[in-house]
Amino acid sequence: MKVSIIGAGNVGATCAQVLAYQQIADEVVLLDINEGYAEGKAMDIMQSAHAIGFDTVVKGSTNDYKQTENSDVVVVTSGIPRKPGMTREELISTNVKIVETVIKSTLEHSPNAVLIIVTNPLDTITYAALKLSNLPKNRVIGMGNLLDSSRFKYFLSKKSNLPISELDAIVIGGHGDTTMIPLPNYSKYKGLPIQDFLTQQEIDEVVSETMVGGATLTKLLGTSAWYAPGASAAYMVDAILHDKKKLIPCAVLLEGEYDTNDVVVGVPCVIGKNGWEKIIELDLTDSEKEKFKSSVDAIKEVNAQIPF
């Protein structure tokens, strides 16, 4: 089983590290446009093999897509972050062009791969990737909501002092500070509603903290986070490679589900060897439905700026 990660920055390298440490794949290829960068990251990871005890082979490549040949999954982290003075339109235009090149090059060598998109703005780039690749819709997946849901669990655990590993929580909607929708009504601790452990005010505080979770980390770190995003991408890879049929919130194309059409947005999906295999339609309250509609409208507005 082979995985290629396009973009050997912090998120891509962390994804490779998790895949290797947990021996999720037999081979991981890190590819980057910067000379020697991916090779160095791969070598560094491999030199931890003895201490950690893994047999996964991690290789690095400078822009040689031949090395990614016959990948089962391709994780796309390539792109630039928004810089001071840069408009959203410029960010979208630049990253769509980057992702277009990546997709063309990877599918030339791995036509049967499932694509996991991590590049921002995530919902829009995933939509663009789907259109540019001409792949079946189930083989192009955006990672964002799994990360948002992980952050939701973290803040719930922090507020309630309950173990994070035993909490269930989900975030749907767009992968953005104003478009994501944490769902307290679907938050459980060992099957019990989170309302049994937190007051409404505390839940509201957790929801607010979750929605600015990424921005909080950027402020603390001076850059975007990478441990949780990289681990989230690896988690999705594991579900695909090993056909685990895991229920994972992620960004996929809706065609009638949730009364929505022709937009990529985050919803819970069953993930297995074919990519996303089933969309689960949650029973949302009227308020949640309205928030979801607003999230979709905001994503469509951004999608209108895609340069094709």
Side-chain angles (χ1 to χ4, degrees):
M1 291 178 287
K2 181 175 180 177
V3 179
S4 289
I5 302 168
I6 314 303
N10 287 334
V11 174
T14 299
C15 180
Q17 185 181 38
V18 173
L19 291 172
Y21 281 16
Q22 296 186 1
Q23 300 196 95
I24 291 169
D26 300 310
E27 181 181 352
V28 177
V29 175
L30 268 173
L31 185 144
D32 201 274
I33 195 170
N34 296 307
E35 185 70 36
Y37 194 64
E39 290 89 338
K41 291 286 187 77
M43 186 182 296
D44 196 13
I45 292 171
M46 285 303 298
Q47 289 174 359
S48 68
H50 175 71
I52 303 299
F54 66 84
D55 296 313
T56 296
V57 175
V58 183
K59 301 177 180 178
S61 170
T62 301
N63 228 30
D64 179 8
Y65 282 87
K66 183 71 168 61
Q67 300 300 315
T68 69
E69 191 170 38
N70 295 323
S71 294
D72 298 290
V73 180
V74 174
V75 180
V76 181
T77 72
S78 303
I80 62 168
R82 190 173 178 182
K83 300 174 183 177
M86 178 179 282
T87 65
R88 184 181 297 274
E89 290 85 350
E90 288 173 317
L91 177 66
I92 293 170
S93 177
T94 300
N95 281 351
V96 166
K97 289 176 183 176
I98 291 171
V99 170
E100 181 176 14
T101 299
V102 167
I103 288 172
K104 180 180 178 181
S105 301
T106 53
L107 291 181
E108 180 181 347
H109 297 286
S110 303
N112 298 315
V114 175
L115 303 183
I116 297 175
I117 308 299
V118 182
T119 304
N120 281 317
L122 186 131
D123 305 281
T124 294
I125 296 297
T126 304
Y127 180 81
L130 179 61
K131 298 299 182 181
L132 291 166
S133 67
N134 291 316
L135 288 175
K137 60 183 179 179
N138 60 293
R139 286 171 52 196
V140 182
I141 312 171
M143 179 275 293
N145 296 83
L146 174 57
L147 173 61
D148 297 332
S149 299
S150 296
R151 288 172 173 163
F152 190 21
K153 291 178 186 179
Y154 164 76
F155 287 115
L156 284 169
S157 175
K158 185 178 178 183
K159 185 72 73 174
S160 65
N161 290 318
L162 296 171
I164 193 169
S165 62
E166 295 183 342
L167 284 167
D168 288 321
I170 188 170
V171 175
I172 63 172
H175 180 57
D177 294 354
T178 60
T179 55
M180 72 174 72
I181 308 163
L183 297 177
N185 289 336
Y186 283 92
S187 301
K188 310 284 185 182
Y189 171 65
K190 288 195 168 184
L192 299 173
I194 199 64
Q195 289 83 352
D196 288 356
F197 304 92
L198 295 174
T199 66
Q200 188 59 51
Q201 180 179 340
E202 289 172 326
I203 291 171
D204 291 342
E205 290 171 356
V206 167
V207 168
S208 296
E209 289 171 326
T210 300
M211 293 182 71
V212 296
T216 299
L217 283 164
T218 299
K219 184 177 179 180
L220 290 169
L221 296 168
T223 185
S224 298
W226 60 90
Y227 293 124
S232 295
Y235 185 88
M236 291 180 68
V237 170
D238 184 34
I240 295 166
L241 288 184
H242 299 281
D243 196 25
K244 290 193 171 180
K245 313 295 186 188
K246 284 185 174 290
L247 184 63
I248 299 176
C250 49
V252 299
L253 180 70
L254 299 189
E255 294 183 312
E257 302 90 353
Y258 290 88
D259 295 321
T260 300
N261 279 287
D262 195 35
V263 68
V264 168
V265 63
V267 293
C269 301
V270 176
I271 306 295
K273 63 180 179 181
N274 298 312
W276 69 263
E277 300 181 354
K278 182 179 181 181
I279 292 173
I280 305 301
E281 294 199 55
L282 300 175
D283 185 14
L284 302 178
T285 65
D286 288 343
S287 174
E288 290 164 346
K289 288 178 181 177
E290 186 60 35
K291 289 177 181 177
F292 190 81
K293 182 180 183 302
S294 296
S295 181
V296 167
D297 289 344
I299 293 168
K300 286 185 174 181
E301 186 176 338
V302 177
N303 287 357
Q305 300 163 13
I306 298 174
F308 61 69

